[in-house]
Amino acid sequence: MGRMMVLEELIERVGGCAVIDGGFATQLENCGAKIDDPLWSAVCLIREPDLIKEVHLQYLEAGADIIVTSSYQATIPGFLSKGMSIEQAESLLQRSVKLAVDARDSFWKVVQNVPGNDYNRALVAASIGSYGAYLADGSEYSGYYGPDIDLDKLKDFHRRRLQILVNAGPDLLAFEAIPNKIEAQACVELLEEENIQIPSWICFSSVNGEHASSGESFKECLDVLNKSEKVKVVGINCSPPQFMENLISKFRGLTKKAIAIYPNSGEVWDGRAKRWLPSECFDDEKFKTFVLRWHKLGASLIGGCCRTTPSTIRAVSKVLKDRTQAQ
Ligand SMILES: C[S+](C)CC[C@H](N)C(=O)O
Ligand SMILES: N[C@@H](CCS)C(=O)O
Ligand SMILES: [Zn+2]
């Protein structure tokens, strides 16, 4: 049971609000990675594992209490379609966890004995992107998977990757940018069927600030998650920061679970052109002005998603640390 409580323990240890890292793919690109590929950022697991570790270290140094692995778009069928064997695909999934654990351990080894350091030993969350992320057609923002996809197919899609990631030893699972209720249901059923003994968060995407990306209500979606003891945290990621106040308040009324938010910058992903379209954005200063409001409304895990960077996370972490030090 011990391992199921790591998120609650972290939230308590940091004084009520833990910091999630920021856009991982974004920072890989800022460091020179080329990710215009069906595997998106997961292509770096093949080509540039050292860079993945370096980006984890940058987010740890910026103050992240939780780092999310590079497995968002890493899938067994995705690697197979690159001509790899199942063994190679599974070993790349394991690698995503190992790189994050190694970064966390080596960072902690250095800072834990530095007098006056205000870091916490970070947790590693294994990222599980949606089926839509694997499709690489932008459907993590539409929730439309076509007429042939049902609950069992979604469970089949997620099962083996989930097993491999859990066995690689992360502290928790992060289901990211889930766009619809059926996939939330598939994740919850898998956690039970596979008897997963580490906690999960399940975060949705939203394109209108009211509903899940599919158009389904968050009441329907959270009703599914509320029934699971294995889902410790629910939330929103990779959606515009302008939506967060409304969505945190809405979620607070729909669940007793802890709430995570890690919005993107506000730019909008064009799934066909595979680029970010400019839109109303939050810069780091704007993030800073909203962090405490988001926390007061009910978020106890706050970070950033696409197009945010270590400097965003440094800003978020500073606001939260200044607050606890003033208390
Ligand atoms: C969160 S989106 C920007 C990730 C990339 C998308 N699944 C694609 O491959 O186009
Ligand atoms: N953890 C992933 C989420 C993409 S939406 C990343 O930051 O790249
Ligand atoms: Zn994102």
Side-chain angles (χ1 to χ4, degrees), residues 63-152:
D65 299 310
I66 303 175
I67 55 171
V68 182
T69 64
S70 50
S71 46
Y72 176 79
Q73 211 150 306
T75 64
I76 295 170
F79 289 129
L80 294 185
S81 66
K82 291 246 170 225
M84 292 179 174
S85 65
I86 294 214
E87 291 72 26
Q88 285 169 320
E90 294 187 352
S91 130
L92 288 167
L93 286 169
Q94 286 157 359
R95 176 181 282 180
S96 70
V97 175
K98 186 173 183 328
L99 289 166
V101 168
D102 284 354
R104 184 272 307 278
D105 290 348
S106 58
F107 184 75
W108 185 237
K109 200 170 168 196
V110 171
V111 297
Q112 67 174 329
N113 296 318
V114 174
N117 97 80
D118 54 7
Y119 290 108
N120 303 288
R121 182 177 176 276
L123 299 181
V124 170
S127 170
I128 299 180
S130 66
Y131 179 65
Y134 156 69
L135 293 178
D137 61 357
S139 57
E140 66 261 73
Y141 302 113
S142 71
Y144 181 67
Y145 289 165
D148 298 333
I149 285 297
D150 59 19
L151 188 64
D152 285 335

Coordinates of all heavy atoms in Angstrom, one line a residue, residues 63-152:
G63 N 13.1 23.1 -10.6 CA 12.3 23.0 -9.4 C 11.1 22.0 -9.6 O 10.2 22.0 -8.7
A64 N 11.1 21.2 -10.6 CA 10.0 20.2 -10.7 C 10.1 19.2 -9.6 O 11.1 18.6 -9.3 CB 10.1 19.5 -12.1
D65 N 8.9 18.9 -9.0 CA 8.8 17.9 -8.0 C 8.5 16.5 -8.6 O 8.6 15.5 -8.0 CB 7.8 18.2 -7.0 CG 8.0 19.5 -6.2 OD1 9.2 19.6 -5.7 OD2 7.1 20.3 -6.1
I66 N 7.9 16.6 -9.9 CA 7.6 15.4 -10.6 C 8.1 15.6 -12.0 O 7.8 16.6 -12.7 CB 6.1 15.2 -10.6 CG1 5.5 15.1 -9.2 CG2 5.7 13.9 -11.4 CD1 4.0 15.0 -9.1
I67 N 8.8 14.6 -12.5 CA 9.2 14.7 -13.9 C 8.5 13.6 -14.7 O 8.2 12.5 -14.2 CB 10.7 14.6 -14.1 CG1 11.3 13.3 -13.5 CG2 11.4 15.8 -13.6 CD1 12.8 13.1 -13.8
V68 N 8.1 13.9 -15.9 CA 7.2 13.0 -16.7 C 8.1 12.4 -17.8 O 8.8 13.1 -18.5 CB 6.0 13.8 -17.3 CG1 5.1 12.8 -18.1 CG2 5.2 14.5 -16.2
T69 N 8.0 11.1 -18.0 CA 8.9 10.4 -18.9 C 8.6 10.8 -20.4 O 7.6 11.3 -20.7 CB 8.9 8.9 -18.8 OG1 7.5 8.5 -19.1 CG2 9.2 8.4 -17.4
S70 N 9.6 10.4 -21.2 CA 9.5 10.7 -22.7 C 8.6 9.7 -23.5 O 8.8 9.6 -24.7 CB 10.9 10.7 -23.2 OG 11.6 9.5 -22.9
S71 N 7.7 9.0 -22.8 CA 7.0 8.0 -23.5 C 5.6 8.4 -24.0 O 4.8 7.5 -24.4 CB 6.8 6.8 -22.5 OG 6.4 7.2 -21.2
Y72 N 5.3 9.7 -24.0 CA 4.0 10.1 -24.4 C 3.5 9.5 -25.7 O 2.4 9.0 -25.8 CB 4.0 11.7 -24.5 CG 2.7 12.3 -25.0 CD1 1.6 12.4 -24.2 CD2 2.6 12.7 -26.4 CE1 0.4 13.0 -24.6 CE2 1.4 13.2 -26.8 CZ 0.3 13.4 -26.0 OH -0.9 13.9 -26.4
Q73 N 4.4 9.5 -26.7 CA 4.0 9.0 -28.0 C 4.9 7.7 -28.4 O 5.0 7.4 -29.5 CB 4.1 10.1 -29.1 CG 3.2 9.9 -30.2 CD 2.7 11.2 -30.8 OE1 2.3 12.1 -30.1 NE2 2.8 11.4 -32.1
A74 N 5.4 7.1 -27.3 CA 6.2 5.9 -27.5 C 5.3 4.7 -27.4 O 4.7 4.5 -26.3 CB 7.3 5.8 -26.4
T75 N 5.1 4.0 -28.5 CA 4.1 2.8 -28.4 C 4.8 1.7 -29.1 O 5.6 1.8 -30.0 CB 2.8 3.1 -29.1 OG1 3.1 3.4 -30.5 CG2 2.1 4.4 -28.5
I76 N 4.3 0.5 -28.8 CA 4.9 -0.7 -29.4 C 4.5 -0.7 -30.9 O 5.5 -0.8 -31.8 CB 4.5 -2.0 -28.7 CG1 5.1 -2.0 -27.3 CG2 4.9 -3.2 -29.5 CD1 4.6 -3.0 -26.4
P77 N 3.3 -0.5 -31.3 CA 3.0 -0.4 -32.8 C 3.8 0.7 -33.5 O 4.2 0.5 -34.6 CB 1.5 -0.2 -32.9 CG 1.0 0.0 -31.5 CD 2.0 -0.4 -30.5
G78 N 4.0 1.8 -32.8 CA 4.7 2.9 -33.4 C 6.2 2.5 -33.7 O 6.7 2.8 -34.7
F79 N 6.8 1.8 -32.7 CA 8.2 1.4 -32.9 C 8.2 0.3 -34.0 O 9.1 0.2 -34.8 CB 8.8 0.9 -31.6 CG 9.1 2.0 -30.6 CD1 8.7 1.9 -29.3 CD2 9.8 3.1 -31.0 CE1 9.0 2.9 -28.4 CE2 10.1 4.2 -30.1 CZ 9.7 4.1 -28.8
L80 N 7.2 -0.6 -34.0 CA 7.2 -1.7 -35.0 C 7.1 -1.1 -36.4 O 7.8 -1.6 -37.3 CB 6.0 -2.6 -34.8 CG 6.0 -3.5 -33.5 CD1 4.8 -4.5 -33.5 CD2 7.3 -4.2 -33.3
S81 N 6.3 0.0 -36.5 CA 6.2 0.5 -37.9 C 7.5 1.2 -38.3 O 7.7 1.6 -39.5 CB 5.0 1.5 -38.0 OG 5.3 2.6 -37.2
K82 N 8.5 1.3 -37.4 CA 9.8 1.8 -37.8 C 10.7 0.7 -38.1 O 11.9 0.8 -38.3 CB 10.4 2.6 -36.6 CG 9.8 3.9 -36.3 CD 10.8 5.0 -36.6 CE 10.0 6.3 -36.6 NZ 10.3 7.3 -37.6
G83 N 10.2 -0.5 -38.1 CA 11.0 -1.7 -38.5 C 11.6 -2.4 -37.3 O 12.5 -3.2 -37.5
M84 N 11.3 -2.0 -36.1 CA 11.9 -2.6 -34.9 C 11.2 -3.9 -34.5 O 10.1 -4.1 -34.9 CB 11.8 -1.6 -33.8 CG 12.7 -0.4 -34.0 SD 12.6 0.7 -32.7 CE 13.9 1.8 -33.3
S85 N 11.9 -4.7 -33.7 CA 11.3 -5.9 -33.2 C 10.5 -5.5 -31.9 O 10.7 -4.4 -31.3 CB 12.4 -6.9 -32.8 OG 13.2 -6.3 -31.8
I86 N 9.7 -6.5 -31.4 CA 9.0 -6.2 -30.2 C 10.0 -6.0 -29.1 O 9.8 -5.1 -28.2 CB 8.1 -7.4 -29.9 CG1 7.0 -7.5 -31.0 CG2 7.5 -7.3 -28.5 CD1 5.6 -8.0 -30.5
E87 N 11.1 -6.8 -29.0 CA 12.0 -6.7 -27.9 C 12.6 -5.3 -27.9 O 12.8 -4.6 -26.9 CB 13.2 -7.7 -28.1 CG 12.8 -9.1 -27.9 CD 11.9 -9.7 -29.0 OE1 12.0 -9.3 -30.1 OE2 11.1 -10.6 -28.7
Q88 N 13.0 -4.8 -29.1 CA 13.6 -3.4 -29.2 C 12.5 -2.4 -28.7 O 12.9 -1.4 -28.0 CB 14.0 -3.1 -30.6 CG 15.3 -3.8 -31.0 CD 15.5 -3.7 -32.6 OE1 14.6 -3.8 -33.4 NE2 16.8 -3.5 -32.9
A89 N 11.3 -2.6 -29.2 CA 10.2 -1.6 -28.8 C 10.1 -1.6 -27.2 O 10.0 -0.5 -26.6 CB 8.9 -2.0 -29.4
E90 N 10.1 -2.8 -26.7 CA 9.9 -2.8 -25.2 C 11.1 -2.2 -24.5 O 11.0 -1.6 -23.5 CB 9.6 -4.3 -24.8 CG 8.3 -4.8 -25.3 CD 7.9 -6.1 -24.8 OE1 8.6 -6.8 -24.2 OE2 6.7 -6.5 -25.1
S91 N 12.2 -2.5 -25.1 CA 13.4 -1.9 -24.4 C 13.5 -0.4 -24.5 O 13.9 0.3 -23.6 CB 14.7 -2.6 -24.9 OG 15.6 -1.8 -25.3
L92 N 12.9 0.2 -25.5 CA 12.8 1.6 -25.6 C 11.9 2.2 -24.6 O 12.1 3.3 -24.0 CB 12.5 2.1 -27.0 CG 13.6 1.9 -28.1 CD1 13.0 2.0 -29.5 CD2 14.7 2.9 -27.9
L93 N 10.8 1.5 -24.4 CA 9.8 2.0 -23.3 C 10.5 1.9 -22.0 O 10.4 2.9 -21.2 CB 8.6 1.1 -23.3 CG 7.6 1.3 -24.5 CD1 6.6 0.2 -24.5 CD2 6.9 2.7 -24.4
Q94 N 11.2 0.8 -21.7 CA 12.0 0.7 -20.4 C 13.0 1.9 -20.3 O 13.2 2.5 -19.3 CB 12.7 -0.6 -20.3 CG 11.8 -1.8 -20.1 CD 12.4 -3.1 -20.5 OE1 13.5 -3.2 -21.0 NE2 11.7 -4.2 -20.3
R95 N 13.6 2.2 -21.5 CA 14.6 3.2 -21.5 C 14.0 4.6 -21.0 O 14.7 5.3 -20.3 CB 15.2 3.3 -22.9 CG 16.2 4.5 -23.0 CD 16.7 4.5 -24.4 NE 17.8 3.6 -24.7 CZ 18.4 3.4 -25.9 NH1 18.1 4.2 -26.9 NH2 19.3 2.5 -26.1
S96 N 12.8 4.8 -21.4 CA 12.2 6.1 -21.1 C 12.1 6.3 -19.6 O 12.3 7.4 -19.0 CB 10.8 6.3 -21.7 OG 9.8 5.4 -21.1
V97 N 11.8 5.2 -18.9 CA 11.7 5.3 -17.4 C 13.1 5.4 -16.8 O 13.4 6.2 -15.9 CB 10.9 4.1 -16.8 CG1 10.9 4.1 -15.3 CG2 9.5 4.1 -17.4
K98 N 14.0 4.5 -17.4 CA 15.4 4.5 -16.8 C 16.0 5.9 -16.9 O 16.7 6.3 -16.0 CB 16.2 3.4 -17.5 CG 17.6 3.3 -16.9 CD 18.3 2.1 -17.5 CE 19.6 1.8 -16.9 NZ 20.4 3.0 -16.4
L99 N 15.8 6.6 -18.1 CA 16.5 7.9 -18.2 C 16.0 8.9 -17.2 O 16.7 9.7 -16.6 CB 16.2 8.4 -19.6 CG 16.9 7.7 -20.8 CD1 16.3 8.0 -22.1 CD2 18.4 8.0 -20.8
A100 N 14.7 8.8 -16.9 CA 14.1 9.7 -15.9 C 14.6 9.4 -14.5 O 14.9 10.3 -13.7 CB 12.6 9.8 -16.0
V101 N 14.6 8.1 -14.2 CA 15.0 7.7 -12.9 C 16.5 8.0 -12.7 O 16.9 8.5 -11.6 CB 14.7 6.1 -12.7 CG1 15.4 5.6 -11.4 CG2 13.2 5.9 -12.6
D102 N 17.3 7.8 -13.7 CA 18.7 8.1 -13.6 C 18.9 9.6 -13.4 O 19.7 10.0 -12.5 CB 19.5 7.7 -14.9 CG 19.7 6.2 -14.9 OD1 19.4 5.5 -14.0 OD2 20.2 5.8 -16.0
A103 N 18.1 10.4 -14.1 CA 18.3 11.9 -14.0 C 17.9 12.3 -12.5 O 18.6 13.0 -11.9 CB 17.4 12.6 -15.0
R104 N 16.7 11.7 -12.1 CA 16.3 12.1 -10.7 C 17.3 11.7 -9.7 O 17.6 12.4 -8.8 CB 14.9 11.4 -10.5 CG 14.2 11.7 -9.2 CD 14.6 10.8 -8.0 NE 14.5 9.4 -8.3 CZ 13.4 8.7 -8.2 NH1 12.3 9.2 -7.9 NH2 13.4 7.3 -8.5
D105 N 17.8 10.4 -9.8 CA 18.8 9.9 -8.8 C 20.1 10.7 -8.8 O 20.6 11.1 -7.8 CB 19.1 8.4 -9.0 CG 17.8 7.6 -8.7 OD1 16.9 8.1 -8.1 OD2 17.8 6.4 -9.0
S106 N 20.6 11.0 -10.0 CA 21.9 11.7 -10.0 C 21.7 13.2 -9.6 O 22.5 13.7 -8.8 CB 22.6 11.6 -11.4 OG 21.7 12.1 -12.4
F107 N 20.6 13.8 -9.9 CA 20.3 15.1 -9.4 C 20.2 15.2 -7.9 O 20.8 16.0 -7.2 CB 19.0 15.7 -10.1 CG 18.8 17.1 -9.7 CD1 19.5 18.1 -10.3 CD2 17.8 17.5 -8.8 CE1 19.3 19.5 -10.0 CE2 17.5 18.8 -8.5 CZ 18.3 19.8 -9.0
W108 N 19.4 14.2 -7.4 CA 19.2 14.2 -5.9 C 20.5 13.9 -5.2 O 20.8 14.5 -4.1 CB 18.1 13.2 -5.6 CG 17.7 13.1 -4.2 CD1 17.8 12.1 -3.3 CD2 17.2 14.2 -3.4 NE1 17.3 12.4 -2.1 CE2 17.0 13.8 -2.1 CE3 17.0 15.6 -3.7 CZ2 16.5 14.6 -1.1 CZ3 16.5 16.4 -2.7 CH2 16.2 15.9 -1.4
K109 N 21.3 13.1 -5.7 CA 22.6 12.7 -5.1 C 23.4 14.0 -4.9 O 24.1 14.2 -3.9 CB 23.4 11.7 -6.0 CG 24.4 11.0 -5.2 CD 25.0 9.8 -6.1 CE 26.2 9.3 -5.5 NZ 27.0 8.5 -6.4
V110 N 23.4 14.9 -5.9 CA 24.2 16.1 -5.8 C 23.5 17.1 -4.9 O 24.2 17.7 -4.0 CB 24.3 16.8 -7.2 CG1 25.0 18.1 -7.1 CG2 25.2 15.8 -8.1
V111 N 22.2 17.3 -5.0 CA 21.6 18.5 -4.2 C 21.3 18.1 -2.8 O 21.1 19.0 -2.0 CB 20.4 19.1 -5.0 CG1 20.8 19.7 -6.3 CG2 19.3 18.1 -5.1
Q112 N 21.1 16.8 -2.5 CA 20.5 16.5 -1.2 C 21.4 17.0 0.0 O 20.9 17.3 1.0 CB 20.2 15.1 -1.0 CG 21.3 14.1 -1.0 CD 20.9 12.7 -0.7 OE1 20.0 12.5 0.0 NE2 21.6 11.8 -1.3
N113 N 22.7 17.1 -0.3 CA 23.6 17.5 0.8 C 24.1 18.9 0.6 O 24.9 19.4 1.4 CB 24.9 16.6 0.8 CG 24.4 15.1 1.1 OD1 23.6 14.9 2.0 ND2 25.0 14.2 0.4
V114 N 23.5 19.7 -0.3 CA 23.9 21.1 -0.4 C 23.1 21.9 0.6 O 21.9 21.9 0.7 CB 23.5 21.6 -1.8 CG1 23.8 23.1 -1.9 CG2 24.3 20.9 -2.9
P115 N 23.8 22.5 1.5 CA 23.2 23.2 2.6 C 22.2 24.3 2.0 O 22.5 25.0 1.1 CB 24.3 23.9 3.4 CG 25.6 23.3 2.9 CD 25.3 22.7 1.6
G116 N 21.0 24.4 2.6 CA 20.1 25.4 2.2 C 19.3 25.1 0.9 O 18.5 25.9 0.5
N117 N 19.6 23.9 0.3 CA 18.8 23.6 -0.9 C 17.4 23.4 -0.6 O 17.0 22.9 0.4 CB 19.4 22.4 -1.6 CG 18.7 21.2 -1.3 OD1 17.6 20.9 -1.9 ND2 19.2 20.4 -0.4
D118 N 16.5 23.9 -1.5 CA 15.1 23.7 -1.2 C 14.4 22.8 -2.2 O 13.3 22.9 -2.6 CB 14.3 25.1 -1.2 CG 14.5 25.9 -2.4 OD1 15.1 25.4 -3.4 OD2 14.1 27.1 -2.4
Y119 N 15.2 21.8 -2.7 CA 14.7 20.8 -3.6 C 14.0 19.7 -2.8 O 14.5 19.4 -1.7 CB 15.8 20.2 -4.5 CG 16.3 21.2 -5.6 CD1 17.5 21.8 -5.5 CD2 15.5 21.5 -6.7 CE1 18.0 22.6 -6.4 CE2 15.9 22.4 -7.6 CZ 17.2 22.9 -7.5 OH 17.6 23.8 -8.5
N120 N 13.1 19.0 -3.4 CA 12.6 17.7 -2.9 C 13.1 16.6 -3.8 O 13.4 16.8 -4.9 CB 11.0 17.8 -2.9 CG 10.5 19.0 -2.2 OD1 10.5 19.0 -1.0 ND2 10.0 19.9 -2.9
R121 N 13.1 15.4 -3.2 CA 13.5 14.3 -4.1 C 12.3 14.1 -5.0 O 11.1 13.8 -4.6 CB 13.7 13.0 -3.3 CG 14.1 11.8 -4.1 CD 14.4 10.6 -3.2 NE 14.7 9.4 -4.0 CZ 13.8 8.6 -4.5 NH1 12.5 8.9 -4.3 NH2 14.1 7.6 -5.2
A122 N 12.5 14.2 -6.3 CA 11.4 14.2 -7.3 C 10.8 12.8 -7.5 O 11.5 11.8 -7.3 CB 11.8 14.8 -8.6
L123 N 9.6 12.8 -8.0 CA 9.0 11.5 -8.4 C 9.0 11.4 -9.9 O 9.0 12.4 -10.6 CB 7.5 11.5 -7.9 CG 7.2 11.6 -6.4 CD1 5.7 11.5 -6.2 CD2 7.9 10.4 -5.7
V124 N 9.0 10.2 -10.4 CA 9.0 9.9 -11.8 C 7.7 9.4 -12.2 O 7.2 8.4 -11.7 CB 10.1 8.9 -12.2 CG1 10.0 8.5 -13.7 CG2 11.5 9.5 -12.0
A125 N 7.0 10.1 -13.2 CA 5.7 9.7 -13.7 C 5.9 9.2 -15.1 O 6.4 9.9 -16.0 CB 4.8 10.9 -13.7
A126 N 5.5 8.0 -15.3 CA 5.6 7.4 -16.7 C 4.4 7.9 -17.5 O 3.3 7.6 -17.2 CB 5.6 5.8 -16.6
S127 N 4.8 8.6 -18.6 CA 3.7 9.2 -19.4 C 3.1 8.1 -20.3 O 3.7 7.3 -21.0 CB 4.4 10.2 -20.3 OG 3.4 10.6 -21.3
I128 N 1.8 8.2 -20.3 CA 1.0 7.3 -21.3 C 0.1 8.3 -22.1 O -0.9 8.8 -21.6 CB 0.2 6.3 -20.5 CG1 1.1 5.4 -19.7 CG2 -0.7 5.5 -21.4 CD1 0.4 4.3 -18.8
G129 N 0.5 8.5 -23.3 CA -0.3 9.4 -24.2 C -1.6 8.6 -24.6 O -1.6 7.4 -24.5
S130 N -2.5 9.3 -25.1 CA -3.8 8.7 -25.6 C -3.6 7.9 -26.9 O -2.5 8.1 -27.6 CB -4.8 9.8 -25.8 OG -4.4 10.6 -26.9
Y131 N -4.6 7.2 -27.2 CA -4.6 6.5 -28.6 C -4.5 7.6 -29.7 O -3.8 7.4 -30.7 CB -5.9 5.7 -28.7 CG -6.1 5.0 -30.0 CD1 -5.2 4.0 -30.4 CD2 -7.1 5.3 -30.9 CE1 -5.4 3.3 -31.6 CE2 -7.3 4.7 -32.1 CZ -6.4 3.7 -32.4 OH -6.5 3.0 -33.6
G132 N -5.1 8.7 -29.4 CA -5.0 9.8 -30.4 C -3.6 10.3 -30.6 O -3.3 10.7 -31.7
A133 N -2.8 10.3 -29.6 CA -1.4 10.7 -29.7 C -0.7 9.7 -30.7 O 0.0 10.1 -31.6 CB -0.7 10.7 -28.4
Y134 N -1.0 8.4 -30.5 CA -0.3 7.4 -31.3 C -0.8 7.6 -32.8 O 0.0 7.5 -33.7 CB -0.7 6.0 -30.9 CG -0.7 5.0 -31.9 CD1 0.6 4.5 -32.4 CD2 -1.8 4.4 -32.4 CE1 0.6 3.6 -33.4 CE2 -1.8 3.4 -33.4 CZ -0.6 3.0 -33.9 OH -0.5 2.1 -34.9
L135 N -2.1 8.0 -33.0 CA -2.6 8.2 -34.4 C -1.8 9.3 -35.0 O -1.7 9.4 -36.3 CB -4.1 8.4 -34.4 CG -5.0 7.3 -33.9 CD1 -6.4 7.7 -34.0 CD2 -4.8 6.0 -34.8
A136 N -1.4 10.3 -34.2 CA -0.6 11.4 -34.7 C -1.3 12.2 -35.8 O -0.8 12.7 -36.7 CB 0.8 10.9 -35.3
D137 N -2.6 12.3 -35.5 CA -3.5 13.1 -36.4 C -4.2 14.2 -35.7 O -5.2 14.7 -36.2 CB -4.5 12.2 -37.2 CG -5.4 11.5 -36.2 OD1 -5.2 11.7 -34.9 OD2 -6.3 10.8 -36.6
G138 N -3.7 14.5 -34.5 CA -4.4 15.6 -33.7 C -5.6 15.1 -33.0 O -6.3 15.9 -32.3
S139 N -5.9 13.8 -33.0 CA -7.1 13.4 -32.4 C -7.1 13.4 -30.8 O -8.1 13.1 -30.2 CB -7.6 12.1 -32.9 OG -6.7 11.1 -32.8
E140 N -5.9 13.7 -30.2 CA -6.0 13.9 -28.8 C -6.7 15.2 -28.4 O -6.9 15.5 -27.3 CB -4.6 13.8 -28.1 CG -3.6 14.9 -28.5 CD -2.6 14.4 -29.5 OE1 -3.0 14.3 -30.7 OE2 -1.4 14.2 -29.2
Y141 N -7.0 16.0 -29.5 CA -7.8 17.2 -29.3 C -9.2 17.1 -29.9 O -9.9 18.1 -29.9 CB -7.0 18.4 -29.8 CG -5.7 18.6 -29.3 CD1 -4.5 18.5 -30.0 CD2 -5.5 19.0 -27.9 CE1 -3.3 18.7 -29.5 CE2 -4.2 19.2 -27.4 CZ -3.1 19.0 -28.2 OH -1.9 19.2 -27.6
S142 N -9.6 16.0 -30.4 CA -10.9 15.9 -31.0 C -11.7 14.7 -30.3 O -12.9 14.7 -30.1 CB -10.9 15.6 -32.5 OG -10.5 14.3 -32.7
G143 N -10.9 13.7 -29.8 CA -11.5 12.6 -29.2 C -12.2 11.7 -30.2 O -12.9 10.7 -29.8
Y144 N -12.1 12.0 -31.5 CA -12.8 11.2 -32.5 C -11.8 10.1 -33.0 O -10.9 10.4 -33.7 CB -13.3 12.0 -33.6 CG -14.1 11.2 -34.6 CD1 -15.3 10.6 -34.3 CD2 -13.5 11.0 -35.9 CE1 -15.9 9.7 -35.2 CE2 -14.2 10.1 -36.8 CZ -15.3 9.5 -36.4 OH -16.0 8.7 -37.3
Y145 N -12.1 8.9 -32.7 CA -11.3 7.8 -33.0 C -11.8 6.9 -34.2 O -11.3 5.8 -34.4 CB -11.0 6.9 -31.8 CG -10.1 7.5 -30.7 CD1 -10.0 7.0 -29.5 CD2 -9.3 8.6 -31.0 CE1 -9.2 7.5 -28.5 CE2 -8.5 9.2 -30.0 CZ -8.5 8.6 -28.8 OH -7.7 9.2 -27.8
G146 N -12.9 7.3 -34.8 CA -13.5 6.6 -35.9 C -14.4 5.5 -35.4 O -14.4 5.2 -34.2
P147 N -15.2 4.9 -36.3 CA -16.3 4.0 -35.9 C -15.8 2.7 -35.4 O -16.6 1.9 -34.7 CB -17.1 3.9 -37.2 CG -16.1 4.2 -38.3 CD -15.1 5.2 -37.7
D148 N -14.6 2.3 -35.7 CA -14.1 0.9 -35.3 C -13.5 0.8 -34.0 O -13.2 -0.4 -33.5 CB -13.1 0.4 -36.4 CG -13.7 0.4 -37.8 OD1 -14.9 0.2 -37.9 OD2 -12.9 0.6 -38.7
I149 N -13.3 1.9 -33.3 CA -12.7 1.8 -32.0 C -13.7 1.6 -30.8 O -14.6 2.4 -30.7 CB -11.8 3.0 -31.8 CG1 -10.5 2.9 -32.6 CG2 -11.4 3.2 -30.3 CD1 -9.6 1.8 -32.3
D150 N -13.5 0.6 -30.1 CA -14.4 0.4 -28.9 C -13.5 0.2 -27.7 O -12.2 0.3 -27.7 CB -15.3 -0.8 -29.1 CG -14.5 -2.1 -29.4 OD1 -13.3 -2.2 -29.0 OD2 -15.1 -3.1 -29.9
L151 N -14.2 -0.1 -26.5 CA -13.4 -0.2 -25.2 C -12.3 -1.2 -25.3 O -11.2 -1.0 -24.8 CB -14.5 -0.5 -24.1 CG -14.0 -0.4 -22.7 CD1 -13.5 1.0 -22.3 CD2 -15.1 -0.9 -21.8
D152 N -12.7 -2.4 -25.8 CA -11.7 -3.5 -25.8 C -10.5 -3.1 -26.7 O -9.3 -3.5 -26.3 CB -12.3 -4.8 -26.3 CG -13.2 -5.4 -25.2 OD1 -13.0 -5.1 -24.0 OD2 -14.2 -6.1 -25.5

